[in-house]
Amino acid sequence: MRQQAIGGWRRAGWLVLMICLLLTGLTSSAVVRAQEPQRQRAFVYGINAALENTYTGSFAPPSVPTLYLLADQTSIISSRMTEIYFWAITNEYKASWELLNEPVAGALEIVQGGQVIQQTEPTSYTIHYQTHGSEVNAQLFLGRDADSAHTRFSAEQQRYQAELSAYYKAQQDWTAVADDANQRAQKGEKVTIPPAPQPPEPMSVTSNGVNQGIPVNLPVGSYQLRLRGRDGAIVPGSARALVVFGPRRAAIGYMVAPETRWTTPDQVDDLSDVIVGTSNSQIYLVPHTVREFPAHAYALLQDPQQQIGETTDWTWVMGAPITAGQLEIVAAGQPPERLALTPYRVNQVAGTTLGYQIQQFVPDPQHPNAAPDLIGFPIHIDQPGSGFEIRMLSPQGEVLAGSSRLVRTPSATPLSLLLLLSALPLAVGAAVIVRRRMQLRLPRNTAG
């Protein structure tokens, strides 16, 4: 009887365990189903929006009634059919391009004042991104130029892959020779190890490939856009408002690259910005064009789904680097000093010490495609508390409007003074406490 009871308890335990596992599996599958987004088929616009010197990619689902583009610059709009779903974490719609990405045939119509002012068919395009140090500039190619540019890029890519394969093979051969030389050296032989092979210069251009899109280049204004299908009807969901905007003013800004952290430069774009440096340091100023755009429109240009309220603020945007001119330094009591734009190459310090060395760029005939990492004005800051003004001159020697900035070096405060200032509140507090305790200890006057 006891053995039967034990067996019954065991069978009951196994049954309970199986039920728990079954419930856990059902719960997990329900959670997975609950987390799967609800997708819907929708017409969207894929956008490669032109910025100051590059492009930014985004898409406009049906929830976006208005598109924003920069004036007098060519952006690319692509009409697509895809599946979208709402992502509550970022409060925006996402596209499942991997599930559906069908081009919608038709001509893009630009309407203003009730009249169609432009009708454009899709064409081939490609965007090449050129890297110069920490900066990236983009170039758009359209039509036959896009096909030619892609052919050149593919040839350059194949050349680089061939050089890279040859380098890996040479590296293996050199390693074998070096190992053999080390073994013979350990036996007392006199050996000479050949220099190690050098890797090829990495490609400085990347490409998004050849795609189909509709180029849009318009002056400042408010428009409507829509897609007219091959059947002559307007494609449902394609009608949107279009705002094309431009800058209200332009100036000269600077990318400030300290020698110790050139990979994270500071941007000086606002006219009231001050360049702050540390004493006994070297900085490099890379001049750029800067333009001031309406902040609201520029934010929606980069992300049409961004949740942003109406604002009248303006924002400075740094554009392409300036490659010609001089920098004039004006300091009190000294004659003006002029500096020339100089190309530099940045080398990482070898060994355990982290850092960089910025050296003047010298063209190497063995690497004709090598380019400088930065082109700027070198400025050495001497003692703390110094200050001067900089301004940029055109090749004709004229001061460029909006290029003047102040350069300041904070004065170094002695450590003893900092300690004294920090200890002063403590000393005052201690004096107050001591005074109160002494008052409590004084004898009180008693009536006779």
Side-chain angles (χ1 to χ4, degrees):
M1 291 294 293
R2 183 177 180 182
Q3 292 178 352
Q4 293 178 355
I6 293 174
W9 281 108
R10 288 180 177 175
R11 286 193 295 274
W14 281 108
L15 180 61
V16 171
L17 179 60
M18 293 298 293
I19 293 174
C20 291
L21 292 176
L22 179 61
L23 291 175
T24 301
L26 292 175
T27 304
S28 300
S29 62
V31 170
V32 171
R33 286 196 299 271
Q35 291 178 345
E36 185 175 351
Q38 297 293 326
R39 294 183 174 87
Q40 56 180 331
R41 187 183 178 96
F43 175 92
V44 302
Y45 282 116
I47 306 171
N48 273 302
L51 301 182
E52 278 295 279
N53 58 335
T54 186
Y55 283 80
T56 181
S58 63
F59 85 102
S63 60
V64 175
T66 305
L67 308 185
Y68 291 82
L69 296 177
L70 283 185
D72 304 319
Q73 298 200 45
T74 303
S75 297
I76 300 294
I77 292 181
S78 305
S79 53
R80 300 282 174 177
M81 192 66 69
T82 187
E83 291 189 1
I84 63 172
Y85 59 93
F86 185 73
W87 191 245
I89 296 177
T90 56
N91 197 30
E92 64 180 355
Y93 282 92
K94 300 285 188 178
S96 299
W97 302 111
E98 72 282 359
L99 299 180
L100 180 63
N101 185 11
E102 293 181 356
V104 180
L108 187 70
E109 293 184 345
I110 304 297
V111 181
Q112 188 178 46
Q115 301 293 324
V116 177
I117 63 172
Q118 192 178 102
Q119 190 178 56
T120 310
E121 294 282 346
T123 186
S124 300
Y125 79 94
T126 185
I127 303 175
H128 287 185
Y129 298 90
Q130 180 82 39
T131 302
H132 297 283
S134 59
E135 299 183 3
V136 178
N137 298 321
Q139 186 175 6
L140 172 68
F141 299 91
L142 298 173
R144 294 181 178 178
D145 291 340
D147 298 330
S148 300
H150 186 68
T151 300
R152 293 193 301 270
F153 174 78
S154 298
E156 183 69 14
Q157 199 173 40
Q158 292 175 2
R159 180 198 61 79
Y160 175 71
Q161 292 295 338
E163 290 183 357
L164 197 61
S165 298
Y167 163 72
Y168 288 146
K169 178 64 169 58
Q171 183 74 13
Q172 292 177 352
D173 296 342
W174 179 84
T175 302
V177 171
D179 291 342
D180 179 69
N182 288 330
Q183 292 177 2
R184 289 189 288 113
Q186 292 176 0
K187 296 178 182 180
E189 299 182 25
K190 186 177 180 180
V191 297
T192 301
I193 300 178
Q198 297 298 315
E201 288 288 336
M203 291 185 62
S204 59
V205 178
T206 58
S207 171
N208 69 336
V210 178
N211 302 280
Q212 289 289 312
I214 302 172
V216 177
N217 190 324
L218 294 167
V220 173
S222 297
Y223 308 86
Q224 294 80 41
L225 60 81
R226 62 198 185 193
L227 187 72
R228 189 170 295 278
R230 297 299 182 218
D231 58 357
I234 301 300
V235 175
S238 66
R240 309 287 176 90
L242 174 62
V243 175
V244 180
F245 64 97
R248 70 170 178 177
R249 55 178 175 168
I252 306 297
Y254 300 93
M255 193 81 75
V256 182
E259 186 174 22
T260 55
R261 53 177 184 87
W262 81 278
T263 55
T264 56
D266 300 319
Q267 289 190 8
V268 176
D269 41 32
D270 195 279
L271 298 179
S272 61
D273 285 346
V274 176
I275 300 174
V276 179
T278 57
S279 60
N280 195 26
S281 66
Q282 185 84 3
I283 62 175
Y284 299 86
L285 303 184
V286 183
H288 287 255
T289 59
V290 292
R291 293 178 174 87
E292 195 177 28
F293 293 97
H296 178 265
Y298 199 84
L300 293 176
L301 165 72
Q302 301 174 85
D303 182 5
Q305 298 188 69
Q306 185 173 351
Q307 303 296 320
I308 181 173
E310 291 289 341
T311 177
T312 59
D313 293 342
W314 294 79
T315 181
W316 285 98
V317 178
M318 188 163 286
I322 299 174
T323 58
Q326 292 182 314
L327 189 75
E328 189 172 62
I329 299 177
V330 181
Q334 298 181 11
E337 178 186 0
R338 293 187 177 184
L339 303 176
L341 277 170
T342 307
Y344 291 96
R345 185 174 185 86
V346 182
N347 299 317
Q348 189 167 6
V349 177
T352 58
T353 304
L354 299 179
Y356 299 93
Q357 288 182 345
I358 300 181
Q359 301 173 345
Q360 190 166 342
F361 175 78
V362 178
D364 186 356
Q366 297 182 355
H367 300 282
N369 296 326
D373 294 314
L374 65 88
I375 301 176
F377 301 108
I379 294 182
H380 184 75
I381 299 178
D382 296 321
Q383 68 275 6
S386 61
F388 49 87
E389 180 184 357
I390 62 167
R391 56 195 183 194
M392 192 167 178
L393 306 179
S394 68
Q396 294 74 30
E398 300 175 351
V399 177
L400 297 178
S403 66
S404 297
R405 297 293 190 282
L406 295 178
V407 180
R408 292 286 181 265
T409 307
S411 300
T413 304
L415 180 60
S416 58
L417 180 58
L418 294 176
L419 295 176
L420 179 61
L421 293 176
S422 60
L424 185 59
L426 298 176
V428 173
V432 171
I433 293 174
V434 171
R435 183 173 181 275
R436 289 181 177 178
R437 287 184 176 181
M438 292 180 62
Q439 289 178 346
L440 292 175
R441 293 177 181 175
L442 291 177
R444 298 180 180 179
N445 294 327
T446 58

